[in-house]
Amino acid sequence: MNRKSSALAWGLLFPTLAVLALFVLYPAAQSFWLSFQDVEPFSKRSFFVGFENYQVLFNSPDYWQTVRVTLFFLLYTVIPSLVISLTVAVLLDANPFFQNMFRTLFLLPVAISSSMAAMLWIFIYNPTAGFLNYALDVLGIHGPNWLADPDWALVAVAVATVWKEIGFNIIFFLAGLTSIPLELKEAAELDGANSWQVFRYVTLPLLSPTLFFVSVVSVINSLQSFGQIHILTTGGPMGETTTLVYNLYRDAFVKFRTGLASSEAVILFGLILLATMVQFRMAKKRVHYG
Amino acid sequence: MASVEIDRVKKQFGDIEVLKEVSLSIRSGEFVVLVGPSGCGKSTLLRMVAGLELPSAGNIAIDSQDVTTMAPKLRGVAMVFQNYALYPHMTVRDNLKFGLELAKVDKKEIGRRVNEAAEVLGLSAHLDKKPGQLSGGQKQRVAMGRAMVRQPKVFLFDEPLSNLDAQLRVKMRTEISHLHRRLSATSIYVTHDQVEAMTLADRIAVMYQGKLEQVGSPLELYQNPKTKFVASFIGTPSMNFLQGELLQSLKGNVQASSAGVRPEHTFLANTGQGECVFLGKGQIVLVEPLGSLAYIHVRIHDHYLVSELKSDRFPHAGETVEFMITIL
């Protein structure tokens, strides 16, 4: 590349790099630095405290409680979201007639803002006037106070999250399914495979790159979930819906413990990085690219 | 080995009638080629024999058993697809044994059949490769091997050579021919390439606009075509059709609205053997030299005719020549 085209390339990249540097790289570096500081609230004064913030977190039972909640939230959201969206996508792929209508229907929740969606679920979960308990009453079941019951609150938030996520996943799965040549399924059929075997031995392996991408994005999204928790439960009851991100928010913007919140951000970053690396490692053997 | 009976089969997609009451009997061990231009319904007919499409009317029987609505896997057929349809995530070995494993064939038997097919098709060194690492010809061989190991009653080929280059196509054509002689299996082969049809088939079924135009041996179709379409479709280059003033040149020899003359039965200037008829003077518009022979395209009045010229010296475009035909 000559000097002129190199200058042009940097010139074209500059706006993106500038925005990334200002809003992502600088705050990330700042967070990392602040995680080793004790920052006084409402002032610019801070003291280097080494790993003290991390020690406080790791010695706090409340923090381990948020780790537990986060892992359960991950389990309750990622697996159901992948299973439901993959099932719906496979059904839609097999019935192209319904595809357009249902694709729009399933994509609607993605288009609604998190806060609007959460408000909708507040109405559904309302213990006295909500649709869910009304429907359960009709069946003779007495529904709990979904968002205030420590046993049910996390599940309730997870259901709302899954509802909002599946449309996004369905679109990717449908695109992946459409790209699998029909001839391969027909060849498998002629080889003696039944519908399940065609799915298991042909469709699923060929869909693995999409499945991998969607699962990585779902894990990251789940670990970063905030809006629905904030509106539905504000982390309650008794911390049962306080995830790592929500705890971070409270430490940073309610309690103004900036140093501690920064170390939480670094830990969360490490956790997401670890989860993604594990997924990449697992993908090496199981994901087939063409 | 099994016979295939296609009895008054129709296929409609909405208002479009793709197949119009097609009947065809294929004897056990016979190699039948369905040939015709794109959209004539030949692939649809093959897919119906495979069970991948259901006929709108009519019946299909394999080995005297009605299979019209039977699932593909129960029909005892194996198909070689145009795009090979190899499972890209499996090795060649896994591709070959997939059908046998589903059929729960004994592991030793699977190994034996896979190794035998690999040896016959020259794939032994490639068994652990994925399809993406193979050439077009090798992929095609794997597709054939996958069909072979299942020992089906009927082999179905859907334009299997159309993705290969010309040289490889000739080679694979020979291999398919050898394979058929070796296995003596009933085979139905779809192609739009009439050279493939002529060289491979015991019998050719020419299809046009959803109908069977003519069924017969390659030479029968070449020498005694029953319709103008068959006459024009079989043979390279296509038969010349004489109409209007050119037909009048034949004087008393022909009493029809149109007459067909194959390019090899024509010659330029008065150099032919036997009885011949002068058709008219024309200008050469194109010379296609193929080595020992050339196709000479001549315009006489507003008619374009082709002559096959066997010589080591060919005329040039622009020259005026006398166009003659041989009376057989």
Side-chain angles (χ1 to χ4, degrees), chain B residues 17-35:
Chain B
E17 202 172 20
V18 181
L19 284 175
K20 299 163 187 168
E21 233 177 63
V22 172
S23 294
L24 179 65
S25 289
I26 297 164
R27 291 186 291 274
S28 182
E30 196 176 21
F31 199 116
V32 169
V33 175
L34 302 176
V35 70

PDB file of all heavy atoms in Angstrom, chain B residues 17-35:
ATOM      1  N   GLU B  17     -48.931 -27.356 -15.706  1.00  0.00           N
ATOM      2  CA  GLU B  17     -48.835 -28.807 -15.856  1.00  0.00           C
ATOM      3  C   GLU B  17     -47.422 -29.143 -16.337  1.00  0.00           C
ATOM      4  O   GLU B  17     -47.064 -28.883 -17.481  1.00  0.00           O
ATOM      5  CB  GLU B  17     -49.880 -29.283 -16.867  1.00  0.00           C
ATOM      6  CG  GLU B  17     -50.197 -30.747 -16.693  1.00  0.00           C
ATOM      7  CD  GLU B  17     -51.363 -31.185 -17.566  1.00  0.00           C
ATOM      8  OE1 GLU B  17     -51.666 -30.486 -18.540  1.00  0.00           O
ATOM      9  OE2 GLU B  17     -51.946 -32.241 -17.264  1.00  0.00           O
ATOM     10  N   VAL B  18     -46.633 -29.694 -15.438  1.00  0.00           N
ATOM     11  CA  VAL B  18     -45.225 -29.974 -15.761  1.00  0.00           C
ATOM     12  C   VAL B  18     -45.081 -31.293 -16.510  1.00  0.00           C
ATOM     13  O   VAL B  18     -44.263 -31.423 -17.415  1.00  0.00           O
ATOM     14  CB  VAL B  18     -44.386 -29.998 -14.457  1.00  0.00           C
ATOM     15  CG1 VAL B  18     -42.924 -30.254 -14.770  1.00  0.00           C
ATOM     16  CG2 VAL B  18     -44.526 -28.684 -13.724  1.00  0.00           C
ATOM     17  N   LEU B  19     -45.895 -32.270 -16.116  1.00  0.00           N
ATOM     18  CA  LEU B  19     -45.875 -33.575 -16.807  1.00  0.00           C
ATOM     19  C   LEU B  19     -47.282 -33.923 -17.257  1.00  0.00           C
ATOM     20  O   LEU B  19     -48.235 -33.830 -16.475  1.00  0.00           O
ATOM     21  CB  LEU B  19     -45.352 -34.669 -15.877  1.00  0.00           C
ATOM     22  CG  LEU B  19     -43.854 -34.706 -15.620  1.00  0.00           C
ATOM     23  CD1 LEU B  19     -43.521 -35.764 -14.591  1.00  0.00           C
ATOM     24  CD2 LEU B  19     -43.065 -34.951 -16.897  1.00  0.00           C
ATOM     25  N   LYS B  20     -47.389 -34.324 -18.527  1.00  0.00           N
ATOM     26  CA  LYS B  20     -48.723 -34.594 -19.088  1.00  0.00           C
ATOM     27  C   LYS B  20     -48.862 -36.076 -19.428  1.00  0.00           C
ATOM     28  O   LYS B  20     -48.518 -36.486 -20.529  1.00  0.00           O
ATOM     29  CB  LYS B  20     -48.922 -33.744 -20.343  1.00  0.00           C
ATOM     30  CG  LYS B  20     -48.844 -32.251 -20.070  1.00  0.00           C
ATOM     31  CD  LYS B  20     -48.627 -31.469 -21.344  1.00  0.00           C
ATOM     32  CE  LYS B  20     -48.393 -29.999 -21.027  1.00  0.00           C
ATOM     33  NZ  LYS B  20     -47.913 -29.244 -22.162  1.00  0.00           N
ATOM     34  N   GLU B  21     -49.298 -36.859 -18.495  1.00  0.00           N
ATOM     35  CA  GLU B  21     -49.552 -38.282 -18.699  1.00  0.00           C
ATOM     36  C   GLU B  21     -48.377 -38.991 -19.363  1.00  0.00           C
ATOM     37  O   GLU B  21     -48.441 -39.375 -20.533  1.00  0.00           O
ATOM     38  CB  GLU B  21     -50.830 -38.478 -19.521  1.00  0.00           C
ATOM     39  CG  GLU B  21     -51.758 -39.416 -18.777  1.00  0.00           C
ATOM     40  CD  GLU B  21     -53.076 -39.631 -19.469  1.00  0.00           C
ATOM     41  OE1 GLU B  21     -53.075 -40.169 -20.570  1.00  0.00           O
ATOM     42  OE2 GLU B  21     -54.101 -39.264 -18.866  1.00  0.00           O
ATOM     43  N   VAL B  22     -47.334 -39.173 -18.588  1.00  0.00           N
ATOM     44  CA  VAL B  22     -46.137 -39.843 -19.107  1.00  0.00           C
ATOM     45  C   VAL B  22     -46.154 -41.314 -18.705  1.00  0.00           C
ATOM     46  O   VAL B  22     -46.396 -41.633 -17.543  1.00  0.00           O
ATOM     47  CB  VAL B  22     -44.864 -39.160 -18.549  1.00  0.00           C
ATOM     48  CG1 VAL B  22     -43.616 -39.955 -18.911  1.00  0.00           C
ATOM     49  CG2 VAL B  22     -44.757 -37.739 -19.080  1.00  0.00           C
ATOM     50  N   SER B  23     -45.947 -42.189 -19.661  1.00  0.00           N
ATOM     51  CA  SER B  23     -45.847 -43.630 -19.378  1.00  0.00           C
ATOM     52  C   SER B  23     -44.530 -44.148 -19.944  1.00  0.00           C
ATOM     53  O   SER B  23     -44.170 -43.814 -21.071  1.00  0.00           O
ATOM     54  CB  SER B  23     -47.008 -44.395 -20.019  1.00  0.00           C
ATOM     55  OG  SER B  23     -48.213 -44.016 -19.420  1.00  0.00           O
ATOM     56  N   LEU B  24     -43.838 -44.940 -19.139  1.00  0.00           N
ATOM     57  CA  LEU B  24     -42.547 -45.475 -19.583  1.00  0.00           C
ATOM     58  C   LEU B  24     -42.250 -46.765 -18.821  1.00  0.00           C
ATOM     59  O   LEU B  24     -42.372 -46.814 -17.603  1.00  0.00           O
ATOM     60  CB  LEU B  24     -41.450 -44.424 -19.305  1.00  0.00           C
ATOM     61  CG  LEU B  24     -40.010 -44.776 -19.661  1.00  0.00           C
ATOM     62  CD1 LEU B  24     -39.840 -44.961 -21.161  1.00  0.00           C
ATOM     63  CD2 LEU B  24     -39.068 -43.670 -19.185  1.00  0.00           C
ATOM     64  N   SER B  25     -41.884 -47.796 -19.564  1.00  0.00           N
ATOM     65  CA  SER B  25     -41.509 -49.071 -18.924  1.00  0.00           C
ATOM     66  C   SER B  25     -40.014 -49.243 -19.034  1.00  0.00           C
ATOM     67  O   SER B  25     -39.456 -49.153 -20.134  1.00  0.00           O
ATOM     68  CB  SER B  25     -42.182 -50.242 -19.643  1.00  0.00           C
ATOM     69  OG  SER B  25     -43.541 -50.226 -19.369  1.00  0.00           O
ATOM     70  N   ILE B  26     -39.373 -49.478 -17.911  1.00  0.00           N
ATOM     71  CA  ILE B  26     -37.927 -49.672 -17.920  1.00  0.00           C
ATOM     72  C   ILE B  26     -37.638 -51.099 -17.455  1.00  0.00           C
ATOM     73  O   ILE B  26     -38.097 -51.505 -16.367  1.00  0.00           O
ATOM     74  CB  ILE B  26     -37.236 -48.640 -17.000  1.00  0.00           C
ATOM     75  CG1 ILE B  26     -37.505 -47.225 -17.554  1.00  0.00           C
ATOM     76  CG2 ILE B  26     -35.735 -48.901 -16.913  1.00  0.00           C
ATOM     77  CD1 ILE B  26     -37.227 -46.109 -16.601  1.00  0.00           C
ATOM     78  N   ARG B  27     -36.916 -51.826 -18.283  1.00  0.00           N
ATOM     79  CA  ARG B  27     -36.659 -53.230 -17.962  1.00  0.00           C
ATOM     80  C   ARG B  27     -35.562 -53.333 -16.900  1.00  0.00           C
ATOM     81  O   ARG B  27     -34.756 -52.415 -16.726  1.00  0.00           O
ATOM     82  CB  ARG B  27     -36.212 -53.960 -19.236  1.00  0.00           C
ATOM     83  CG  ARG B  27     -37.310 -54.114 -20.268  1.00  0.00           C
ATOM     84  CD  ARG B  27     -36.835 -54.960 -21.431  1.00  0.00           C
ATOM     85  NE  ARG B  27     -35.813 -54.278 -22.231  1.00  0.00           N
ATOM     86  CZ  ARG B  27     -36.101 -53.433 -23.243  1.00  0.00           C
ATOM     87  NH1 ARG B  27     -37.362 -53.188 -23.574  1.00  0.00           N
ATOM     88  NH2 ARG B  27     -35.133 -52.865 -23.920  1.00  0.00           N
ATOM     89  N   SER B  28     -35.559 -54.466 -16.226  1.00  0.00           N
ATOM     90  CA  SER B  28     -34.561 -54.720 -15.201  1.00  0.00           C
ATOM     91  C   SER B  28     -33.152 -54.674 -15.809  1.00  0.00           C
ATOM     92  O   SER B  28     -32.895 -55.306 -16.826  1.00  0.00           O
ATOM     93  CB  SER B  28     -34.847 -56.097 -14.609  1.00  0.00           C
ATOM     94  OG  SER B  28     -33.948 -56.355 -13.606  1.00  0.00           O
ATOM     95  N   GLY B  29     -32.274 -53.917 -15.225  1.00  0.00           N
ATOM     96  CA  GLY B  29     -30.888 -53.829 -15.696  1.00  0.00           C
ATOM     97  C   GLY B  29     -30.676 -52.849 -16.833  1.00  0.00           C
ATOM     98  O   GLY B  29     -29.546 -52.676 -17.298  1.00  0.00           O
ATOM     99  N   GLU B  30     -31.737 -52.218 -17.267  1.00  0.00           N
ATOM    100  CA  GLU B  30     -31.636 -51.317 -18.410  1.00  0.00           C
ATOM    101  C   GLU B  30     -31.095 -49.931 -17.991  1.00  0.00           C
ATOM    102  O   GLU B  30     -31.341 -49.488 -16.869  1.00  0.00           O
ATOM    103  CB  GLU B  30     -33.020 -51.151 -19.040  1.00  0.00           C
ATOM    104  CG  GLU B  30     -32.979 -50.566 -20.434  1.00  0.00           C
ATOM    105  CD  GLU B  30     -34.369 -50.511 -21.075  1.00  0.00           C
ATOM    106  OE1 GLU B  30     -35.381 -50.548 -20.338  1.00  0.00           O
ATOM    107  OE2 GLU B  30     -34.435 -50.406 -22.296  1.00  0.00           O
ATOM    108  N   PHE B  31     -30.382 -49.279 -18.891  1.00  0.00           N
ATOM    109  CA  PHE B  31     -29.892 -47.913 -18.656  1.00  0.00           C
ATOM    110  C   PHE B  31     -30.715 -46.984 -19.551  1.00  0.00           C
ATOM    111  O   PHE B  31     -30.518 -46.961 -20.760  1.00  0.00           O
ATOM    112  CB  PHE B  31     -28.404 -47.809 -19.003  1.00  0.00           C
ATOM    113  CG  PHE B  31     -27.723 -46.614 -18.391  1.00  0.00           C
ATOM    114  CD1 PHE B  31     -26.707 -46.763 -17.451  1.00  0.00           C
ATOM    115  CD2 PHE B  31     -28.099 -45.318 -18.745  1.00  0.00           C
ATOM    116  CE1 PHE B  31     -26.075 -45.665 -16.885  1.00  0.00           C
ATOM    117  CE2 PHE B  31     -27.480 -44.213 -18.175  1.00  0.00           C
ATOM    118  CZ  PHE B  31     -26.465 -44.391 -17.249  1.00  0.00           C
ATOM    119  N   VAL B  32     -31.648 -46.263 -18.923  1.00  0.00           N
ATOM    120  CA  VAL B  32     -32.512 -45.376 -19.703  1.00  0.00           C
ATOM    121  C   VAL B  32     -32.135 -43.924 -19.413  1.00  0.00           C
ATOM    122  O   VAL B  32     -31.966 -43.546 -18.249  1.00  0.00           O
ATOM    123  CB  VAL B  32     -33.997 -45.615 -19.367  1.00  0.00           C
ATOM    124  CG1 VAL B  32     -34.881 -44.524 -19.962  1.00  0.00           C
ATOM    125  CG2 VAL B  32     -34.429 -46.967 -19.904  1.00  0.00           C
ATOM    126  N   VAL B  33     -31.975 -43.158 -20.461  1.00  0.00           N
ATOM    127  CA  VAL B  33     -31.639 -41.739 -20.284  1.00  0.00           C
ATOM    128  C   VAL B  33     -32.847 -40.884 -20.643  1.00  0.00           C
ATOM    129  O   VAL B  33     -33.423 -41.040 -21.724  1.00  0.00           O
ATOM    130  CB  VAL B  33     -30.430 -41.342 -21.159  1.00  0.00           C
ATOM    131  CG1 VAL B  33     -30.171 -39.849 -21.058  1.00  0.00           C
ATOM    132  CG2 VAL B  33     -29.194 -42.103 -20.727  1.00  0.00           C
ATOM    133  N   LEU B  34     -33.246 -40.029 -19.707  1.00  0.00           N
ATOM    134  CA  LEU B  34     -34.301 -39.050 -19.993  1.00  0.00           C
ATOM    135  C   LEU B  34     -33.609 -37.791 -20.473  1.00  0.00           C
ATOM    136  O   LEU B  34     -32.799 -37.216 -19.747  1.00  0.00           O
ATOM    137  CB  LEU B  34     -35.110 -38.723 -18.735  1.00  0.00           C
ATOM    138  CG  LEU B  34     -35.814 -39.871 -18.019  1.00  0.00           C
ATOM    139  CD1 LEU B  34     -36.485 -39.358 -16.754  1.00  0.00           C
ATOM    140  CD2 LEU B  34     -36.836 -40.519 -18.923  1.00  0.00           C
ATOM    141  N   VAL B  35     -33.903 -37.398 -21.694  1.00  0.00           N
ATOM    142  CA  VAL B  35     -33.211 -36.240 -22.238  1.00  0.00           C
ATOM    143  C   VAL B  35     -34.225 -35.233 -22.765  1.00  0.00           C
ATOM    144  O   VAL B  35     -35.333 -35.609 -23.189  1.00  0.00           O
ATOM    145  CB  VAL B  35     -32.207 -36.691 -23.339  1.00  0.00           C
ATOM    146  CG1 VAL B  35     -32.912 -37.168 -24.588  1.00  0.00           C
ATOM    147  CG2 VAL B  35     -31.224 -35.593 -23.691  1.00  0.00           C
TER     148      VAL B  35
END
